[in-house]
């Protein structure tokens, strides 16, 4: 299972109790998604949901909101998702999580990859996160030094190493 399917699964696990409720009430779970722009990752997210039996318009409603490259739109779009009364909001990056976090304290938030959710205040600890925010932690920064150490140990000669990364947001 790749990480996109795992993320889709985590959203579905959060929505599973809602699905049971919807069988009784006829209510279809609504998932909000606050993203930068539509990418292959969001298509993979949607496909991961389908693979798990969740299909937009059939047994789940996906509410997509895109900032279209303008992060200043985050708060407005987050508030819009809250007004739509979605059951869970997927906010892939720290910037999106922060906007949603300002808009609601009652709707669960799922992030895709955050380096250290404890350090940024999304979780009390990795073992017992608490709160309304969950997701996948890459622990990228913490593991980088160890990865370079292993590279040096397993390779006869290592020259200069460069690391390319996207800034948070």
């Amino acid at each position: 299972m790749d990480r996109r399917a795992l993320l889709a699964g985590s959203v579905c696990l959060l929505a599973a109790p809602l699905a049971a409720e919807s069988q009784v009430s006829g209510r279809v779970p609504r998932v909000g998604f606050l993203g930068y722009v539509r990418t292959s990752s969001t298509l993979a997210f949607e496909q991961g949901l389908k693979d798990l039996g969740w299909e937009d318009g059939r047994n789940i409603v996906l509410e997509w909101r895109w900032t279209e490259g303008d992060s200043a739109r985050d708060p407005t779009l987050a508030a819009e998702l809250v007004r739509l009364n979605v059951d869970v909001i997927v906010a892939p990056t720290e910037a999106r999580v922060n906007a949603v976090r300002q808009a609601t304290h009652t709707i669960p938030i799922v992030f895709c990859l955050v380096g250290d959710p404890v350090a940024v205040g999304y979780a009390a600890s990795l073992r017992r996160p608490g709160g309304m925010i969950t997701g996948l932690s890459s622990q990228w920064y913490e593991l980088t030094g160890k990865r370079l150490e292993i590279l040096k140990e397993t390779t006869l000669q290592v020259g200069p190493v460069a690391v390319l990364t996207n800034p948070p947001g």
Side-chain angles (χ1 to χ4, degrees), residues 74-91:
D74 283 344
T76 302
L77 295 174
E80 188 175 316
L81 289 171
V82 170
R83 278 192 304 276
L84 289 171
N85 199 27
V86 296
D87 298 298
V88 62
I89 298 175
V90 178

Side-chain angles (χ1 to χ4, degrees), residues 55-84:
E55 191 171 340
D56 189 18
R58 187 174 60 84
N59 58 358
I60 194 170
V61 173
L62 298 174
E63 295 288 354
W64 302 97
R65 296 298 180 271
W66 309 107
T67 64
E68 300 295 338
D70 182 4
S71 294
R73 295 182 63 207
D74 283 344
T76 302
L77 295 174
E80 188 175 316
L81 289 171
V82 170
R83 278 192 304 276
L84 289 171

Side-chain angles (χ1 to χ4, degrees), residues 13-83:
L13 287 176
L14 283 172
L18 302 168
E21 177 187 319
S22 72
Q23 292 174 359
V24 175
S25 68
R27 187 174 170 284
V28 176
R30 297 170 66 95
V31 175
F33 192 105
L34 178 57
Y36 192 66
V37 293
R38 192 164 184 87
T39 65
S40 60
S41 293
T42 53
L43 295 173
F45 170 77
E46 195 168 12
Q47 184 59 51
L49 287 172
K50 280 184 183 177
D51 292 348
L52 293 167
W54 296 93
E55 191 171 340
D56 189 18
R58 187 174 60 84
N59 58 358
I60 194 170
V61 173
L62 298 174
E63 295 288 354
W64 302 97
R65 296 298 180 271
W66 309 107
T67 64
E68 300 295 338
D70 182 4
S71 294
R73 295 182 63 207
D74 283 344
T76 302
L77 295 174
E80 188 175 316
L81 289 171
V82 170
R83 278 192 304 276

Side-chain angles (χ1 to χ4, degrees), residues 143-166:
L143 296 176
T144 299
K146 189 63 173 176
R147 289 179 179 137
L148 289 172
E149 184 181 317
I150 291 170
L151 178 67
K152 284 175 66 175
E153 289 175 5
T154 59
T155 307
L156 294 175
Q157 290 182 320
V158 176
V161 175
V163 178
L164 302 175
T165 184
N166 288 327

